[in-house]
Amino acid sequence: MADVIDILKEYSAIVVKSIEENLGTIEPQGLQDASIYLTKAGGKMLRPALTLIVADAVGGNKEDAVKTAAAIELIHTFSLIHDDIMDDDDMRRGKPSVHKVWDEPTAILAGDTLFSKAFEMIISSKDEGADSSRVANALATVADACVKICEGQASDMSFEGNFDVKEDEYSKMIFKKTGALIAAATKAGAIMGGADQEVIDAMYDYGRLIGQAFQIQDDYLDVVSDEEALGKPIGSDIAKGKMTLMVVKALAESEGEDKDRLLEILKDTESTQDDVDEAIDLFNKYGSIEYAHNLALTNVAEAKEILEILDDSDSKQLLISLADFVLYRSS
Amino acid sequence: MADVIDILKEYSAIVVKSIEENLGTIEPQGLQDASIYLTKAGGKMLRPALTLIVADAVGGNKEDAVKTAAAIELIHTFSLIHDDIMDDDDMRRGKPSVHKVWDEPTAILAGDTLFSKAFEMIISSKDEGADSSRVANALATVADACVKICEGQASDMSFEGNFDVKEDEYSKMIFKKTGALIAAATKAGAIMGGADQEVIDAMYDYGRLIGQAFQIQDDYLDVVSDEEALGKPIGSDIAKGKMTLMVVKALAESEGEDKDRLLEILKDTESTQDDVDEAIDLFNKYGSIEYAHNLALTNVAEAKEILEILDDSDSKQLLISLADFVLYRSS
């Protein structure tokens, strides 16, 4: 895992440089500062790294994909800034969120600016010699993901307090909200790397599968990890009543007293650690933790199988390691 | 003028149809409703009409430009929705603004969705046979305008309560906030119509000039119109302390008591009609109304001169009429 993390850091440096060059012209200075702030807060930069690694793995030129990769990170950051306003989240990446450091109008505008800059950056790849039909395809891929992100966030908000959500509705929402951009990142990498349509579609599926596994694993770690590794109390998602695949599954499988008790704990805004532990026991009783974990395992296995379409290379190996990394990280 | 308005309505119908087709797939329904709401509130649709008319006037195919035109209207609508949140404006186009009908999170998301859909629409022109390099250039034009809109809004917010703003700072802000998208609309029309670079640049300048004239005329009508034609009290901008070219100019030219009194009226949140009339007298005393009006006249004359680069056609005539319409409309 150490290797993967080191390599992600290398890619991250390339992306950060490109972002800083492109955001450095924003004026007035206050808007520039608010726009850049979160990109400097040390995210994993998994999405842009995937774009660059896939571009290389399909036999293309990584350089052609740098601006697209950076743009995808800007789209991700834009959505975090706006989500934090909508969900009134005070903290992000261990720092106060943009609308807390500045104010809501500035945060709305910083998000809009990153969004605009993202499209500007992808288009400007063309001026640096990238093929214009590839650029148009990458743009279409990213724009499609942006629509899905908005739709996913709207569904997520509409689900609030509604614990009758079915597994397929939940999966669709979570794919749009978080998986679509990861799938766009890998697909755009394949497009900018000049892959043929079959490989482009395969890379989309690879991204979609590891994206879903990543999301499930996030939720899974919240209930099975230890507090020290996680950096927050076990089951904090349950205490907050957050909808996860495990919750959806446990509610679908349970009945009577068990279901009532689970709903009670999820709806209670002042759940104790005992309540949370009881909910985790109910998850186990109805097999929902195992179900989610197995789905993540299956996704990762399937994602790695998809990679067989690629010729062997260091970047292909890295994509295999990244699929595993999604599953075996501890936080 | 009646002719121009009738023709704008024809173009508007084409654009509305394209918008409705493209927004009709947004889900959940609540997000779709909030996204479509303002596009149905009967705006002038001047920007998309300009795109279509220019595409025709440069000898191109209007059909190729419809999605780009519609996208520019979506960008305009997105910026209105987000501006209304930032400025806490309750009304827009005679109806409650989006964040009042729904809520702020939904309005943020509706804006983001329109933004995403706008780019998706321009790109999809390619699937309908539009030239892919034209599509990329139109995208670059629109993305550039989006960055400028954000920068202009940020400058506008940073100017609030600051009456020391110089004319060049003010002009730059207002160009970015409102002129840039009108210039992008005419430029994108020329691009999609297949014009050469000289004509594309000329059409940008035409849009920039009538955009500035439009803005000045808006402010000018507020002080010289009669209440009935305007549909609101004379000088309501002054009562609100709004920065306009006339304010910037009058403050630059006046000194001593006059300047102090003008500042007092502008800063007073409870100005009476007598105060407002006094401010208008001061505008007249320092020639700022005439200055603004002359600038608008010069812009329109220059814009019409630029059109000489085009071959004669009905659409060229219409562009000439539109330049005049900007100046001679009464509201």
Side-chain angles (χ1 to χ4, degrees):
Chain A
M1 287 307 105
D3 279 1
V4 172
I5 291 169
D6 286 344
I7 294 169
L8 278 182
K9 277 186 190 152
E10 273 173 46
Y11 282 102
S12 169
I14 299 172
V15 173
V16 166
K17 185 163 168 281
S18 174
I19 288 177
E20 286 180 356
E21 274 168 16
N22 279 276
L23 301 189
T25 54
I26 297 169
E27 50 181 29
Q29 190 63 40
L31 180 64
Q32 182 180 141
D33 294 343
S35 302
I36 289 183
Y37 173 74
L38 211 56
T39 68
K40 286 189 170 170
K44 282 191 240 7
M45 299 242 174
L46 181 66
R47 292 162 192 77
L50 281 168
T51 303
L52 295 175
I53 298 163
V54 170
D56 190 66
V58 301
N61 184 352
K62 261 194 310 238
E63 296 310 311
D64 289 345
V66 170
K67 286 193 161 183
T68 300
I72 285 170
E73 183 64 17
L74 295 188
I75 297 286
H76 178 54
T77 311
F78 136 77
S79 79
L80 296 179
I81 294 174
H82 281 192
D83 280 3
D84 285 344
I85 304 172
M86 294 182 231
D87 303 337
D88 204 15
D89 278 332
D90 295 356
M91 300 291 288
R92 173 64 68 179
R93 293 180 178 164
K95 295 165 71 171
S97 41
V98 176
H99 68 283
K100 289 294 163 187
V101 178
W102 287 270
D103 49 28
E104 284 196 20
T106 306
I108 292 174
L109 217 42
D112 293 346
T113 305
L114 291 176
F115 202 168
S116 309
K117 278 282 173 188
F119 282 95
E120 201 180 62
M121 281 182 79
I122 300 177
I123 299 160
S124 70
S125 311
K126 205 168 65 88
D127 304 331
E128 291 170 11
D131 177 84
S132 114
S133 126
R134 289 183 198 172
V135 171
N137 287 342
L139 277 165
T141 303
V142 172
D144 175 66
C146 291
V147 174
K148 288 192 168 69
I149 290 170
C150 296
E151 291 184 333
Q153 170 71 1
S155 290
D156 196 15
M157 295 194 306
S158 78
F159 290 169
E160 210 178 298
N162 169 12
F163 288 99
D164 287 333
V165 175
K166 300 282 166 287
E167 186 179 339
D168 60 341
E169 293 169 329
Y170 170 81
S171 298
K172 191 174 169 188
M173 177 280 286
I174 206 75
F175 163 66
K176 286 184 168 182
K177 188 171 165 155
T178 74
L181 190 62
I182 298 179
T186 49
K187 182 177 176 180
I191 291 168
M192 295 308 289
D196 62 30
Q197 196 57 49
E198 190 189 358
V199 172
I200 291 171
D201 292 341
M203 290 306 105
Y204 187 80
D205 286 336
Y206 166 81
R208 181 178 56 76
L209 289 162
I210 65 166
Q212 192 184 19
F214 189 90
Q215 179 64 44
I216 293 172
Q217 190 66 9
D218 245 11
D219 299 338
Y220 175 75
L221 286 171
D222 185 66
V223 298
V224 304
S225 192
D226 60 85
E227 189 164 332
E228 202 180 334
L230 200 61
K232 56 182 180 178
I234 296 307
S236 64
D237 286 348
I238 297 170
K240 284 184 282 187
K242 183 186 161 192
M243 189 73 79
T244 64
L245 181 60
M246 292 174 292
V247 168
V248 172
K249 192 71 184 171
L251 288 173
E253 298 293 325
S254 61
E255 284 178 328
E257 272 180 33
D258 283 350
K259 183 167 182 166
D260 292 345
R261 180 65 187 131
L262 195 48
L263 281 170
E264 192 177 34
I265 297 168
L266 289 165
K267 288 176 182 172
D268 184 356
T269 53
E270 292 171 357
S271 301
T272 63
Q273 193 60 45
D274 280 350
D275 295 331
V276 167
D277 290 343
E278 198 185 335
I280 295 176
D281 287 343
L282 287 167
F283 284 180
N284 273 316
K285 181 171 172 186
Y286 291 98
S288 77
I289 298 179
E290 202 188 345
Y291 176 79
H293 188 56
N294 280 340
L295 184 56
L297 284 172
T298 312
N299 280 352
V300 166
E302 223 180 297
K304 290 200 282 188
E305 213 171 297
I306 284 173
L307 294 174
E308 285 171 18
I309 200 172
L310 302 176
D311 292 337
D312 283 335
S313 70
D314 287 350
S315 286
K316 177 181 172 178
Q317 280 308 314
L318 193 51
L319 292 174
I320 296 172
S321 302
L322 274 168
D324 287 328
F325 168 73
V326 162
L327 221 49
Y328 297 111
R329 69 208 163 91
S330 56
S331 71
Chain B
M1 289 304 104
D3 280 1
V4 173
I5 291 170
D6 286 344
I7 293 169
L8 279 182
K9 276 186 190 153
E10 272 175 46
Y11 281 103
S12 170
I14 300 172
V15 173
V16 167
K17 186 165 168 281
S18 175
I19 288 177
E20 286 181 356
E21 274 168 18
N22 279 276
L23 301 189
T25 55
I26 297 169
E27 50 181 29
Q29 190 63 41
L31 180 63
Q32 182 181 138
D33 294 343
S35 303
I36 288 183
Y37 173 74
L38 212 54
T39 67
K40 288 189 169 170
K44 281 191 244 358
M45 300 243 174
L46 180 67
R47 291 160 192 79
L50 282 168
T51 304
L52 296 175
I53 299 164
V54 169
D56 190 65
V58 301
N61 184 353
K62 262 195 308 239
E63 296 310 310
D64 289 347
V66 170
K67 287 193 161 182
T68 301
I72 285 169
E73 183 65 17
L74 295 188
I75 297 287
H76 178 54
T77 312
F78 135 78
S79 79
L80 296 179
I81 294 174
H82 280 193
D83 280 4
D84 285 344
I85 305 172
M86 292 182 232
D87 303 337
D88 204 16
D89 277 331
D90 294 356
M91 300 293 287
R92 172 65 66 179
R93 294 178 176 165
K95 294 166 72 172
S97 42
V98 177
H99 69 283
K100 290 293 164 187
V101 178
W102 286 269
D103 49 28
E104 284 196 19
T106 306
I108 292 174
L109 217 41
D112 293 346
T113 305
L114 291 177
F115 202 168
S116 309
K117 278 282 174 188
F119 283 95
E120 202 180 62
M121 281 181 80
I122 300 177
I123 299 159
S124 71
S125 310
K126 204 168 66 87
D127 304 333
E128 291 169 11
D131 177 84
S132 111
S133 125
R134 290 183 197 171
V135 171
N137 286 344
L139 276 164
T141 302
V142 173
D144 175 66
C146 291
V147 173
K148 288 193 168 68
I149 290 170
C150 296
E151 291 184 333
Q153 170 71 1
S155 290
D156 196 15
M157 295 194 308
S158 78
F159 290 169
E160 210 177 299
N162 169 12
F163 289 98
D164 288 333
V165 175
K166 301 282 164 289
E167 187 180 338
D168 60 340
E169 294 170 327
Y170 171 80
S171 297
K172 191 173 170 188
M173 177 280 285
I174 206 75
F175 163 67
K176 286 184 169 183
K177 189 170 165 156
T178 76
L181 190 61
I182 299 180
T186 49
K187 181 177 176 180
I191 291 168
M192 295 309 289
D196 63 29
Q197 195 57 48
E198 190 188 359
V199 173
I200 291 171
D201 292 342
M203 291 304 105
Y204 188 80
D205 286 336
Y206 166 81
R208 181 178 56 74
L209 288 162
I210 64 165
Q212 194 185 15
F214 189 90
Q215 179 63 44
I216 293 172
Q217 190 66 8
D218 245 11
D219 299 339
Y220 176 74
L221 286 172
D222 186 66
V223 299
V224 305
S225 193
D226 60 86
E227 189 164 333
E228 202 181 333
L230 200 62
K232 57 181 181 180
I234 297 305
S236 64
D237 286 349
I238 296 170
K240 284 184 282 187
K242 186 187 161 191
M243 188 74 79
T244 64
L245 181 59
M246 291 173 292
V247 168
V248 172
K249 193 70 185 171
L251 288 172
E253 297 294 326
S254 61
E255 283 178 330
E257 271 180 34
D258 282 350
K259 183 168 182 166
D260 291 345
R261 179 65 187 131
L262 195 50
L263 282 169
E264 193 177 33
I265 297 168
L266 290 164
K267 287 177 182 170
D268 185 355
T269 53
E270 293 170 357
S271 302
T272 63
Q273 192 61 43
D274 281 349
D275 295 332
V276 168
D277 290 342
E278 196 184 337
I280 295 176
D281 286 343
L282 287 167
F283 284 180
N284 273 315
K285 179 171 175 185
Y286 290 98
S288 78
I289 297 180
E290 203 188 343
Y291 176 79
H293 188 55
N294 280 340
L295 185 56
L297 284 172
T298 312
N299 280 352
V300 166
E302 222 180 297
K304 290 200 281 189
E305 212 172 298
I306 283 174
L307 293 175
E308 286 171 17
I309 199 172
L310 302 176
D311 292 335
D312 283 335
S313 71
D314 287 350
S315 286
K316 178 180 171 178
Q317 280 309 314
L318 193 52
L319 292 174
I320 296 172
S321 303
L322 274 168
D324 287 328
F325 169 72
V326 161
L327 220 48
Y328 297 110
R329 67 207 163 92
S330 57
S331 70

